[in-house]
Structures are given as structure tokens and as C-alpha cells.
Amino acid sequence: MLLVQLLSQKQASKKDVFQLFAEKVRDHKDLVSRWAVLQETRVEYFRGKDFVSFLKNHSELKDILELDKNLEVEDIADVLLRRNLLVRCDRVVKTVRPGKRKLSTWPAHLEIFPDQVFSDNDAFFAWTFVKRRPLWQTLLSFCWPVLTLAICLFPVYPHQCKLLILYSCAGVLLLILCLLSVRALIFGAIWIILGKRVWFFPNILAEEATLGELFRFWPKKDEEERPKWTARLFYAVVAGLVIVLLRHHAPDEAARARYQKRVSNIIDDVLEWSPRLALSGMMEKQQTVVNATESNTSFTDGSKVSSEGVAPDDIDVDIGAEQHEGEEATGNIEDTDQHSDIEL
């Protein structure tokens, strides 16, 4: 019974040792790796030959394995495969695409290889365990809500802070746009004139890249076939037509002045807005509504009073006119009676 417990503890310690070794190797920056899709799941993978050269250059990592530190690189990889810390993969697309000279060095789509044995001949291996997050990523995840709240509270910042944020963001955006534009212009000019594909800052738009790889200046070696001269001539003509059309339909000075004034008005409205001005504007609007309501009320009351004052006068005039007509009728009747008595 004691022997079984010792063996189980030894196996558990070995498992922990290889797990720790796999985590150390995965976190090491010298092991070149990429991301790909394996059965609808994004995985991080590396090449077998890179793993061999990595352990040869960093043999001190084998000390983590303790009793198994004298194992060969192939044997260590086989143990990782048996413990399901690694899985051997193969590229999905196994034929050279049209216009390419060879297969992609880092394929974007992988599939599981039937024979789970280590090899350094065009073999790929993906990590199967979840990578532990470093402390700075955990702290950064708590900072995102604070940053979101700070962005939402931008209108209530002081004027100087608004100017600083506005000019900083505008400067960074302008730098990015200029970099991408110059990069595209250089690529287009060299491609049309020399037929070479030269991308300066080749990883500037990469989804998965380290900080050093992201800002690498020198372009990669062009491994694709040279384009035909007819295609280069066609795109040169298209580029010339686009430039002519842009120059012909360019806005004049008056249109540019109107657009600049409109944009400056929008920016001034954003920068000059403050809660005090907003509250004062709301109070002024409310006061205007109250004044308009009071004026309407007074106008209605005045119309009622005027109508009440005019109506009795009209009634008196009508009654007086009726009495006058009655008296005239009575006088006419009396005159008629008198004429009749004289004739008799």
C-alpha cells in the first residue's frame, strides 16, 4: 500500500514538473509561435524544428524536469504529447496556391495529425492547455471600466485637459494615417516600376505580433512570383486616372473654407461645453417658456375683460334704439288720430 502511494505521488510530481516545463517554454519569448484555427478553435502553435533549436539554445530549462532532465528533445516532446500538453497538427491546405512558389511557412488553418509522434520535418505542434494570465493583464482588465468611464466623462473635463486629449488623439491618428499612406505609396511605386513587393513595417497591421515584431522596419523577402508587365501597366494607368480625377474634382478655396469653419464650430462646441453652461441654458429656456406662458395668460385675461366691458354698452345702445323707435311709432299713431278727428 505504501509503495502504491509513493508511485502515485511520483507520477503526480512528474505531471506537475512537465506542466511547469510546458508553461515555461510557452511563455519564453525565444520560441517562435503563431496563432491558427484548429477545428474552429484558435490555438497557439510552433514548428518542430524551432522547438529543437530552442531547447538546444536554452538547455537550462531542462533542469525543471529534475530526474528527467537528461532526456533528449524528441523524448521530452513525446512525453508532452502523451500527457496531452501538446497535439501534433498538419496544414489543411497541402497544395501550392496559384502565384506562390511554396507552401506557407505559418498556415492559418490546421488539422490534427493522425500519428501523434514528434518530428522536426515540417511538423506543427499546438498547446492544449490554457495559458496563465500575467499579473499586468489582470490589472489591465480592471482598468478598462475606468478608462470607459473616463471617456464618457470627457465633456465635463476642464478646457486645458480637453485640448490636451484632443491634440494628442489627433496627432496619433494623423501619424498612423501618414504612415499607412506613405507605406502604400512606396509599395505601389516599387511594384509598378520594379515588380517587387516591398512592404516597410510589414507587421504593422498584424493581429498577433509582439511589440518588437509590430514595429519592425525592414520588409520581408519577396517569395512570390514577379507580376506580369501587363498587370503593372494596367494598375499604372488606373492610378494615373485616379490622380487626374482627384485633381479635377478637388474642392476650391471657398469650399475648403466652409468645411474648415464647420469643423471648427463643431470642435468649439465640444470644447466649450460645460455643465454650468448646460444648466444655464436649460434655466434660460425654462424662463423663456414661463414668460411666454404668462404673456399668453395675461393676453387671454385681457381679452375676456374687454369682451365683458364691451357687451353691456352694446346692449344699452340696442335698448335705446328700440325705445326711440317705439316713441316714433307712438307719435305717428297720435298724429293719425288727430287728422281723422279734424276730417270728421
Side-chain angles (χ1 to χ4, degrees):
M1 186 67 181
L2 182 61
L3 181 62
V4 173
Q5 291 180 354
L6 290 175
L7 290 175
S8 62
Q9 290 179 0
K10 185 177 181 180
Q11 291 178 357
S13 63
K14 282 187 177 181
K15 183 178 180 180
D16 296 335
V17 165
F18 279 98
Q19 175 76 31
L20 182 60
F21 173 79
E23 292 176 355
K24 291 291 185 180
V25 172
R26 186 177 183 180
D27 293 336
H28 206 286
K29 62 180 181 179
D30 290 341
L31 179 63
V32 183
S33 62
R34 294 290 188 274
W35 288 84
V37 178
L38 175 64
Q39 295 181 349
E40 299 181 356
T41 304
R42 286 179 57 83
V43 294
E44 186 180 5
Y45 73 100
F46 57 89
R47 298 180 298 183
K49 59 182 180 180
D50 294 334
F51 185 75
V52 173
S53 60
F54 170 77
L55 285 184
K56 287 181 178 179
N57 296 328
H58 300 277
S59 58
E60 69 276 2
L61 292 176
K62 291 183 179 181
D63 296 337
I64 302 176
L65 301 177
E66 298 177 356
L67 298 177
D68 297 324
K69 64 181 180 180
N70 294 324
L71 292 176
E72 297 294 332
V73 176
E74 291 78 5
D75 297 333
I76 294 175
D78 289 334
V79 174
L80 296 177
L81 289 170
R82 288 196 301 269
R83 296 180 182 276
N84 293 326
L85 297 173
L86 286 178
V87 60
R88 183 176 176 179
C89 307
D90 193 10
R91 61 178 79 245
V92 175
V93 180
K94 299 178 177 63
T95 58
V96 180
R97 293 182 179 179
K100 301 284 186 179
R101 295 181 181 177
K102 61 180 182 179
L103 293 173
S104 176
T105 305
W106 298 97
H109 296 274
L110 300 173
E111 60 183 4
I112 297 178
F113 193 74
D115 190 9
Q116 293 294 313
V117 179
F118 181 78
S119 174
D120 58 353
N121 184 17
D122 196 26
F124 305 98
F125 299 88
W127 300 107
T128 58
F129 59 90
V130 180
K131 187 177 181 180
R132 292 182 181 179
R133 285 187 177 182
L135 180 60
W136 67 270
Q137 288 186 358
T138 305
L139 296 177
L140 186 62
S141 63
F142 286 104
C143 293
W144 283 119
V146 178
L147 180 61
T148 305
L149 182 62
I151 294 173
C152 295
L153 294 177
F154 175 78
V156 300
Y157 286 176
H159 186 73
Q160 298 296 331
C161 293
K162 288 182 180 179
L163 287 177
L164 179 62
I165 295 173
L166 178 64
Y167 288 132
S168 301
C169 295
V172 173
L173 182 61
L174 183 62
L175 178 62
I176 294 173
L177 292 178
C178 291
L179 177 62
L180 296 179
S181 300
V182 173
R183 178 173 176 263
L185 289 175
I186 294 175
F187 172 82
I190 296 177
W191 187 82
I192 291 174
I193 297 172
L194 301 177
K196 299 290 185 179
R197 298 173 180 84
V198 179
W199 284 110
F200 291 99
F201 294 101
N203 300 323
I204 195 66
L205 299 177
E207 296 182 359
E208 300 291 342
T210 62
L211 192 62
E213 295 176 350
L214 188 66
F215 293 101
R216 192 180 69 177
F217 177 76
W218 294 109
K220 297 179 180 178
K221 184 180 179 181
D222 186 14
E223 299 178 352
E224 300 181 6
E225 294 182 358
R226 189 171 183 177
K228 297 180 180 180
W229 68 270
T230 54
R232 293 157 54 190
L233 180 61
F234 172 75
Y235 283 107
V237 173
V238 170
L241 291 176
V242 170
I243 293 174
V244 170
L245 289 176
L246 290 177
R247 286 182 58 85
H248 184 265
H249 295 283
D252 54 1
E253 292 295 334
R256 286 195 292 267
R258 288 195 301 269
Y259 179 75
Q260 183 179 0
K261 184 177 180 181
R262 188 181 306 171
V263 172
S264 62
N265 290 335
I266 295 173
I267 295 175
D268 291 340
D269 292 339
V270 174
L271 293 178
E272 294 176 0
W273 188 93
S274 64
R276 185 177 300 176
L277 291 176
L279 292 175
S280 63
M282 293 174 61
M283 295 299 294
E284 291 177 359
K285 185 176 180 181
Q286 185 177 2
Q287 186 67 27
T288 304
V289 173
V290 171
N291 294 335
T293 306
E294 291 179 354
S295 62
N296 292 331
T297 305
S298 61
F299 177 75
T300 304
D301 295 339
S303 61
K304 289 182 179 179
V305 172
S306 61
S307 61
E308 291 177 356
V310 172
D313 295 337
D314 295 339
I315 294 173
D316 294 339
V317 172
D318 294 337
I319 294 174
E322 291 177 356
Q323 291 179 354
H324 182 67
E325 292 177 355
E327 291 177 355
E328 290 180 352
T330 305
N332 293 331
I333 293 173
E334 291 179 353
D335 292 336
T336 306
D337 293 340
Q338 289 178 359
H339 287 295
S340 61
D341 291 338
I342 293 171
E343 290 177 356
L344 293 173

